[in-house]
Amino acid sequence: MSDELPAGVERRQFDGEERLATRGEPVYGEPTNEGWRAWNPNRSKLGAMLELGMETGLAGGDDEMVLYLGAASGTTVSHVADVAGPTYAVEFAPRPARDLLEAADSRPRLFPLLADARKPERYAHVVECDVDAIVQDVATRGQARVALENARFLADDGRLVLAVKARSEDVTREPGDVFADVRDELSEGYEVLEYRRLDDYHADHLGIVARPR
C-alpha cells in the first residue's frame, strides 16, 4: 500500500473532515472549499482505490494522457481531467453522455466520446497516441476483454486501472470466483501488479492495477 497520490490530488478539509480533493468546478454536488472539490470514494471506484492506498501508477500532470472507459456522467473522469493532461472519456449511453458534456464545458482537457468501449476501432481515429493510463469502469459482461481490446492504446510503460463489477459478469457466481477469472483472462495481455476488494466503498467490486506485457 502507498499514501502517494497523483500530482494535483490532495487531502483537504471539508466540514472538519479530511478528504481527497482536486481543483475544479463541481460536477455531482460534491462539497467544495476554496476551489477544491471533495472526491467521494463512495461514488468513484478510482477514488476508493486511492483511499485504500493502491498504487495506481497515475502520476498527474499536464503531460499525462488518459483514456477513460465508462465515463458515465463524469463523476470520476472529471477528477481525472482536473489533474491530468488530455483525457479521452468514452461513454456509450446517450443520457449520461449529456451530463458528461456539461462536465467537459469547464475542462478543456476533457474530450467526451460517445462510443462503445467494446469497439475501440470506432474511436481509434481520435485516440491516436499511446496513452499513459487506461482507467476502466464499465459495467458489462466481458470486462477483461474490454481491457484487452483497448490495450492497443496503452504505452509500453503505461498502467491499466480497472474496476471490476462482479455482478455485471455473472450474478449467480461468487464474486471471488468471478474476480479470479477476470485476472486470469487479463494475463493474456497484462501483468497484474496489484488487486484489492473495494467492498469498503463498493460491494462486490475489485480494483486492479496492471501493466502491458
Side-chain angles (χ1 to χ4, degrees), residues 166 173-183 197 204 206:
R173 299 180 63 207
E174 286 296 320
D177 295 335
V178 172
F179 297 148
D181 286 350
V182 169
R183 295 197 308 271
R197 293 283 293 257
D204 300 331
L206 184 74

Side-chain angles (χ1 to χ4, degrees), residues 179-198:
F179 297 148
D181 286 350
V182 169
R183 295 197 308 271
D184 285 345
E185 187 172 356
L186 277 178
S187 68
E188 294 177 19
Y190 293 94
E191 177 188 357
V192 174
L193 302 175
E194 183 181 3
Y195 60 90
R196 178 163 179 170
R197 293 283 293 257
L198 306 181

Side-chain angles (χ1 to χ4, degrees), residues 45-191:
K45 283 80 171 186
L46 177 57
M49 294 170 74
L50 293 172
E51 281 284 12
L52 292 168
M54 293 185 68
E55 297 184 14
T56 63
L58 297 173
D62 293 346
D63 294 333
E64 185 171 52
M65 188 176 299
V66 179
L67 172 62
Y68 194 105
L69 305 175
S73 58
T75 298
T76 299
V77 74
S78 61
H79 285 290
V80 174
D82 283 347
V83 302
T87 302
Y88 300 97
V90 177
E91 175 52 43
F92 178 66
R95 178 63 188 89
R98 288 198 291 271
D99 294 333
L100 178 61
L101 286 170
E102 291 184 15
D105 281 345
S106 61
R107 293 174 172 85
R109 295 177 295 190
L110 178 56
F111 303 101
L113 301 173
L114 182 60
D116 188 340
R118 295 170 297 182
K119 300 176 180 178
E121 65 276 4
R122 301 286 178 86
Y123 46 87
H125 64 291
V126 179
V127 188
E128 297 182 67
C129 301
D130 289 342
V131 300
D132 300 293
I134 294 175
V135 181
Q136 179 179 320
D137 182 10
V138 177
T140 185
R141 187 184 294 272
Q143 292 164 83
R145 183 51 50 188
V146 171
L148 290 165
E149 290 295 328
N150 282 273
R152 70 185 72 183
F153 301 115
L154 192 58
D156 291 341
D157 59 349
R159 290 291 183 272
L160 168 70
V161 184
L162 170 64
V164 181
K165 184 177 182 180
R167 299 307 179 190
S168 292
E169 291 289 342
D170 192 334
V171 298
T172 67
R173 299 180 63 207
E174 286 296 320
D177 295 335
V178 172
F179 297 148
D181 286 350
V182 169
R183 295 197 308 271
D184 285 345
E185 187 172 356
L186 277 178
S187 68
E188 294 177 19
Y190 293 94
E191 177 188 357

